[in-house]
Amino acid sequence: MVKAAGKSSIGATNSPDEIGSFSTRFSLPSFLKQVKRLTDHQSEALQKTGFGNLLSIPNQRLNKSLLDELMRRWDTNKQAFVLPRGEISLNLMDIALILRLRVVGPPVSLVNSIPFGDLERDYGAVIWKRKITVTSLESKLNSFGDLCSDEFVITFLMYTFGTFLFPNANGTVDSRLLSYIQDVDNIRRFSWGEAVLKDVCNWLDQRKMKSVKYVGGCLLFLQIWSFEHIDIARPALLGSSVSFPRVFKWDKSKLHSKQQIMSQFKSLHNDQVTQELQLTSWESEIDIIKELLEAQSNEKEHSEVENSCVNSPIVIDCESEVDTIKELLEAHSNGKEHSEAENSCVNSPIVIEKDLRRRVKMLEEKIMELQKENVELMGENDELRKDNKLLRLSSDNLVFRLEKLLLDEDHC
């Protein structure tokens, strides 16, 4: 269970909270503590960034046993949870419905090519270690008082990243995030929900592959996702008129023993699992949901066109020609040709029919060859995807080891 912030401002971030057999610096109470201090003017400024709905999130405690058992069932290769009755993955619609964060737009990508800027230096980062401590952000927030400025908005969001949306294992925030929020008027255009989802999946991979003790990521999203998709350890619904985003509709989680959760997972039935969340009519009219639905529709259309025009263009033409020839053969054999066709074919009907049948056979053989090649190409494509995933996981492992070395050096 996440512990509430103590009297010391440092206690909320420097003392990790024990969650089952793992620890985390995710701290919803620390975030909500700062929310309570906001003035109306400061709240209005934050609303414009696209993160305003987070200010109304009710306090929740993390279900220790549920999260631990859920993480044990994560498959890094399938990028899904493997349950007794099948697999289920996390998707963009989940993050949009649960946290109401935008999932369409320019991605938030923390690449090394992002130039080191003065703003990062102002927040205490250095070029060889682009990190900002959450404690320094908390101290900076406390110094603003009632003042509302762009600097306040940037500081509050960085604190939100460090405690709620992108918490990591060492109580810091990646300073490269500043490049995406330094222009306060354009913060909301980025796909922040997609970034949160990828970060959660990355931590699930690390937990599964490396058995890391500290687990970061937005664990509240993962918990609400479980409530929405899996009927295990669900709390009561609040019955409030405010049910969107869906994090608002669930009551505080009740405590369950590890044995209870394990037993419920083992005896899970199909009717206890919801693969895809169903939209309500009201949710379908929300801007970020409509935006996602439109993007998914366009992607599906593009994929269908690409498959038909790139993967097997000759097959389509061949099949069309085969159908045409077969129609001619049928018409010829039934004596249904037009008079012009009869005049041209009457002198050698047998020769023409044999020639047509030979062409049909050749085309059908060509179709079979192309279909076989298409299957082989699809298999190669799957292998390339697997290789790419392995390379990504290897890269993540290298980054993790380098960060660990840097941390060890810092402690020394």
Side-chain angles (χ1 to χ4, degrees), residues 25-136:
R25 295 186 189 275
F26 171 88
S27 182
L28 181 58
S30 296
F31 168 70
L32 293 180
K33 176 184 175 182
Q34 292 297 330
V35 170
K36 290 179 180 179
R37 299 182 56 188
L38 294 175
T39 66
D40 291 342
H41 192 31
Q42 289 171 337
S43 295
E44 290 173 6
L46 291 167
Q47 291 284 347
K48 297 176 182 178
T49 65
F51 295 96
N53 61 285
L54 300 181
L55 306 180
S56 302
I57 284 181
N59 194 7
Q60 284 266 4
R61 60 167 165 254
L62 296 182
N63 190 317
K64 301 180 291 186
S65 303
L66 177 65
L67 287 173
D68 191 38
E69 285 302 313
L70 195 61
M71 289 178 186
R72 293 176 190 275
R73 286 160 175 78
W74 179 254
D75 187 297
T76 58
N77 293 320
K78 297 177 180 178
Q79 290 292 286
F81 296 103
V82 179
L83 305 176
R85 302 294 178 176
E87 302 166 5
I88 183 169
S89 58
L90 306 161
N91 59 52
L92 294 176
M93 184 60 77
D94 291 326
I95 200 82
L97 288 173
I98 292 172
L99 292 181
R100 196 174 183 169
L101 292 177
R102 193 179 186 208
V103 293
V104 176
V108 178
S109 182
L110 301 182
V111 294
N112 291 328
S113 58
I114 296 176
F116 183 79
D118 292 337
L119 188 58
E120 289 183 77
R121 188 178 294 106
D122 293 342
Y123 275 82
V126 289
I127 194 168
W128 59 88
K129 186 179 180 183
R130 302 174 78 171
K131 302 289 183 181
I132 304 169
T133 65
V134 175
T135 51
S136 68

Side-chain angles (χ1 to χ4, degrees), residues 4-5 20 37 40 47 49 62 111 116-117 170 179 192 269 272-273 275 285 304 341 355 375 384 389 399:
R37 299 182 56 188
D40 291 342
Q47 291 284 347
T49 65
L62 296 182
V111 294
F116 183 79
N170 52 29
S179 64
W192 292 103
H269 298 293
Q272 291 179 273
V273 178
Q275 283 288 342
E285 296 303 315
E304 290 174 350
D355 182 60
V375 171
L384 288 172
K389 185 174 291 184
V399 171

Side-chain angles (χ1 to χ4, degrees), residues 219-233:
L219 295 183
L220 180 62
F221 160 71
L222 187 59
Q223 178 165 294
I224 300 299
W225 177 91
S226 181
F227 294 162
E228 290 283 338
H229 285 273
I230 307 172
D231 187 7
I232 290 180

Side-chain angles (χ1 to χ4, degrees), residues 209-377:
M209 294 179 63
K210 308 166 190 174
S211 298
V212 295
K213 179 181 179 182
Y214 284 88
V215 178
C218 188
L219 295 183
L220 180 62
F221 160 71
L222 187 59
Q223 178 165 294
I224 300 299
W225 177 91
S226 181
F227 294 162
E228 290 283 338
H229 285 273
I230 307 172
D231 187 7
I232 290 180
R234 279 176 174 169
L237 293 172
L238 289 174
S240 170
S241 57
V242 181
S243 59
F244 185 83
R246 296 193 180 188
V247 67
F248 289 167
K249 76 177 189 178
W250 294 99
D251 200 356
K252 289 185 179 181
S253 177
K254 296 180 180 179
L255 297 178
H256 294 78
S257 70
K258 193 174 186 66
Q259 289 71 24
Q260 286 178 314
I261 297 296
M262 288 177 64
S263 175
Q264 290 181 53
F265 266 110
K266 289 178 181 178
S267 61
L268 194 66
H269 298 293
N270 287 337
D271 58 1
Q272 291 179 273
V273 178
T274 302
Q275 283 288 342
E276 298 290 336
L277 299 183
Q278 299 300 310
L279 297 174
T280 65
S281 57
W282 188 78
E283 287 172 336
S284 301
E285 296 303 315
I286 302 296
D287 288 344
I288 64 166
I289 303 298
K290 291 171 66 176
E291 185 180 50
L292 175 57
L293 291 173
E294 183 179 353
Q296 290 176 335
S297 177
N298 291 339
E299 183 179 353
K300 182 179 180 182
E301 290 177 5
H302 177 73
S303 177
E304 290 174 350
V305 171
E306 189 176 60
N307 289 335
S308 63
C309 297
V310 176
N311 294 337
S312 56
I314 302 178
V315 173
I316 293 177
D317 291 341
C318 290
E319 290 177 342
S320 178
E321 187 171 350
V322 168
D323 291 339
T324 302
I325 293 173
K326 285 183 176 179
E327 288 177 3
L328 286 172
L329 283 171
E330 185 178 356
H332 178 77
S333 62
N334 294 334
K336 293 182 180 180
E337 296 92 333
H338 293 293
S339 57
E340 292 181 1
E342 288 178 352
N343 291 334
S344 62
C345 299
V346 71
N347 293 329
S348 54
I350 297 176
V351 175
I352 292 175
E353 184 172 346
K354 286 183 177 180
D355 182 60
L356 290 174
R357 293 189 183 282
R358 180 179 61 80
R359 288 172 62 191
V360 168
K361 185 176 180 181
M362 290 176 60
L363 290 169
E364 287 179 337
E365 289 176 351
K366 185 64 176 177
I367 289 172
M368 292 180 65
E369 290 177 6
L370 291 170
Q371 288 176 336
K372 184 179 179 180
E373 291 178 6
N374 191 39
V375 171
E376 292 175 352
L377 287 172

